[in-house]
Amino acid sequence: MELKDIRVGFVGFGNMAKAMARGMIRAGMPCKNITACARSWDKLVINSEEMGIIPCRDVYEASYYSDLVIVAVKPYQVETVLEEHKEVLNEKAVISVASGLGFEWYENFLEENTQHLTILPNTAVEIGKGVILRERTHSLQGEIAAKADILLNSLGYVEEVDDDLMNVGSAITGCGINFAYMFVDSIADGAVKMGMPKPLAYRLAAEMIKGAGEMVLISGRHIGQLRDEVCSPGGTTIKGVAALEEAGFRSAVIKAVEAAMTLSPQKD
């Protein structure tokens, strides 16, 4: 079985759904295999034409010819949007990207024996470099489970996470990607202040972050050791580190993760 053999229907077609659809197409899924429905028909048609996918009027139409139905509306909208379509969903597999709505919630909400899985991806799925958190407890089986695996693996790195760690994981991967963008923007501004053109500064900062991540993942060395290897006594790096510490860099990042966790639906 290959990606081209899978059909996907999106319920909701906002930024995350669009990033996933672009990633699927980039990975080799035919555009005609993707359907989508959304609240704004005119906007959906524009986005669908841009990607070559099939716009649908409602959940039933978007789901009918799909193997996997990706629920990508806001968490507070899920119950209202899906309530009248549980029967058609019972014959499919529901994959939810709605933060805070995990296995137990869907198990109680959907019809008995409906297969479902909760995931929390980040927007880098668009280029096949996403991080996708996959809830450990799910009800996917057989061929449907195999199709879900192929689909998710085509979008990036998949990490199975204990149910109670999904939200804090999302604070790292889902929210943290924006924190990383902020760091790239800030370090580029520092370079601009010192006379470097911003496009070059962005490129260097982004490549630096990519390399740093690969070093953590591939080198096998503790991150403290990696840091020490860059900080020569009395050198430029340790002076920069001291400036970050003085400005409360670590504390600010820790507070950002805590804030993102606090605002998750399960914590309200």
Side-chain angles (χ1 to χ4, degrees), residues 50-63:
E50 177 187 314
M51 295 187 201
I53 69 169
I54 302 170
C56 298
R57 288 286 183 178
D58 56 29
V59 175
Y60 182 87
E61 188 179 348
S63 304

Side-chain angles (χ1 to χ4, degrees), residues 25-52:
I25 294 168
R26 182 187 179 97
M29 177 176 283
C31 300
K32 64 181 178 62
N33 285 19
I34 302 174
T35 57
C37 64
R39 181 170 54 182
S40 172
W41 173 252
D42 291 342
K43 189 174 180 180
L44 175 65
V45 169
I46 293 171
N47 289 325
S48 297
E49 288 179 350
E50 177 187 314
M51 295 187 201

Side-chain angles (χ1 to χ4, degrees), residues 6-193:
I6 302 170
R7 294 182 177 274
V8 174
F10 283 96
V11 176
F13 207 61
N15 290 335
M16 181 56 70
K18 287 187 288 186
M20 293 181 75
R22 291 188 184 107
M24 293 170 195
I25 294 168
R26 182 187 179 97
M29 177 176 283
C31 300
K32 64 181 178 62
N33 285 19
I34 302 174
T35 57
C37 64
R39 181 170 54 182
S40 172
W41 173 252
D42 291 342
K43 189 174 180 180
L44 175 65
V45 169
I46 293 171
N47 289 325
S48 297
E49 288 179 350
E50 177 187 314
M51 295 187 201
I53 69 169
I54 302 170
C56 298
R57 288 286 183 178
D58 56 29
V59 175
Y60 182 87
E61 188 179 348
S63 304
Y64 189 79
Y65 292 106
S66 302
D67 304 309
L68 308 174
V69 179
I70 299 178
V71 179
V73 297
K74 300 293 185 183
Y76 69 87
Q77 297 173 324
V78 172
E79 186 169 359
T80 301
V81 171
L82 298 186
E83 182 63 45
E84 297 179 4
H85 302 283
K86 293 181 183 180
E87 185 175 350
V88 69
L89 295 176
N90 186 242
E91 302 168 2
K92 311 295 177 180
V94 174
I95 297 181
S96 172
V97 300
S99 178
L101 302 182
F103 177 82
E104 290 298 331
W105 190 91
Y106 278 101
E107 191 71 1
N108 292 325
F109 172 69
L110 295 170
E111 286 191 357
E112 188 176 359
N113 298 322
T114 302
Q115 297 185 57
H116 59 93
L117 165 69
T118 292
I119 65 170
L120 294 174
N122 66 19
T123 52
V125 292
E126 178 173 333
I127 59 169
K129 296 293 184 180
V131 179
I132 302 112
L133 306 181
R134 174 183 175 136
E135 191 172 35
R136 193 175 302 281
T137 307
H138 64 85
S139 56
L140 303 190
Q141 300 175 16
E143 185 176 301
I144 284 292
K147 287 182 176 182
D149 288 344
I150 292 170
L151 178 71
L152 297 182
N153 287 323
S154 75
L155 297 175
Y157 172 74
V158 181
E159 179 76 39
E160 190 172 77
V161 177
D162 289 342
D163 301 10
D164 61 351
L165 294 179
M166 286 287 283
N167 284 327
V168 67
S170 182
I172 297 171
T173 60
C175 304
I177 192 170
N178 203 351
F179 305 161
Y181 293 151
M182 291 174 69
F183 181 75
V184 168
D185 196 34
S186 298
I187 203 169
D189 278 346
V192 170
K193 184 178 181 181

